[in-house]
Amino acid sequence: FDVACAQLFGYQNWLEDPITFFWYYAYGVGTHRRRRTPGLWGLGNGYCFAAIAGLLDHMPRIHPKYVDIICLFRRIAEATHKYLPVSNGCTQLLDDYLSTACTLATAQLTYAYAKGIFKGWIPPEYYPGASGGIYHLGTLVDRAGNSLSSSLPTGGLDTLEAYATHLTQNDPAAFGPILSACAFGAACESSGIRYDSM
């Protein structure tokens, strides 16, 4: 857990955008003093948010960095709640609402939201992030289980335009996160958690 926390906060220091609190894919040169790639990649941020939920699931509450991890999780939840569009789910580039919706990123963010609410890591007022994510997954996955576009699992492209074709259809990697998002979304709903819960 010590190593996981050191790596996580090390990456945060290098990759977090100081305005949106989303993370860039890699560091180097560019508008952000430490990043080298354009755009805030939706799938990379989805991986990050979901991974922190996984860490919290196993991390002892008595660990000295537990509260710091909870605060980081809530920071990402707040950023996601503030900046994500209300239609089409999570876009491939979080700072470009006209970019293509990414099914896998939508599933990861929805899973992290729903799990965080169900476990009490983030307050219930973020429930629209989970319920809205479930709704968007319903528009991105058909009845046969086929999913629409997902970003390819490598980021760090040189131009924003390159992301337009950096997509795959029916991504098998999206299947597990979609089911996890639906499972925790259903758990929130069946538990009676609402956005106005106290």
Side-chain angles (χ1 to χ4, degrees):
F1 293 113
D2 293 343
V3 172
C5 291
Q7 291 186 7
L8 183 59
F9 292 122
Y11 279 114
Q12 179 191 15
N13 289 337
W14 279 101
L15 303 178
E16 186 180 70
D17 175 59
I19 298 172
T20 64
F21 301 123
F22 288 127
W23 292 22
Y24 284 100
Y25 170 75
Y27 62 86
V29 297
T31 305
H32 184 280
R33 61 192 175 97
R34 291 177 174 148
R35 65 99 169 165
R36 68 173 176 85
T37 54
L40 294 161
W41 186 37
L43 184 54
N45 280 271
Y47 278 131
C48 180
F49 198 24
I52 296 171
L55 175 61
L56 283 170
D57 219 13
H58 298 283
M59 190 173 196
R61 290 185 176 219
I62 60 171
H63 191 278
K65 292 291 184 181
Y66 182 83
V67 172
D68 294 331
I69 297 293
I70 288 285
C71 290
L72 177 59
F73 189 78
R74 289 181 176 180
R75 184 179 180 115
I76 296 173
E78 183 178 353
T80 306
H81 195 264
K82 180 177 180 180
Y83 283 98
L84 282 187
V86 294
S87 61
N88 299 327
C90 177
T91 50
Q92 193 179 23
L93 294 171
L94 298 176
D95 49 349
D96 181 3
Y97 294 157
L98 299 179
S99 62
T100 305
C102 177
T103 305
L104 178 52
T106 301
Q108 289 173 325
L109 292 169
T110 302
Y111 156 75
Y113 256 125
K115 188 171 191 174
I117 293 164
F118 185 72
K119 296 275 190 172
W121 302 328
I122 54 176
E125 55 259 33
Y126 289 114
Y127 186 63
S131 60
I134 296 294
Y135 169 80
H136 292 308
L137 285 173
T139 68
L140 298 171
V141 181
D142 68 20
R143 290 182 177 271
N146 299 305
S147 62
L148 296 180
S149 294
S150 288
S151 181
L152 290 171
T154 53
L157 302 182
D158 292 329
T159 64
L160 293 176
E161 293 75 20
Y163 280 96
T165 57
H166 193 65
L167 300 165
T168 184
Q169 300 291 321
N170 215 14
D171 184 4
F175 190 64
I178 289 168
L179 292 178
S180 296
C182 292
F184 276 99
C188 284
E189 186 174 353
S190 64
S191 70
I193 295 173
R194 291 174 41 85
Y195 69 91
D196 57 353
S197 298
M198 296 304 289

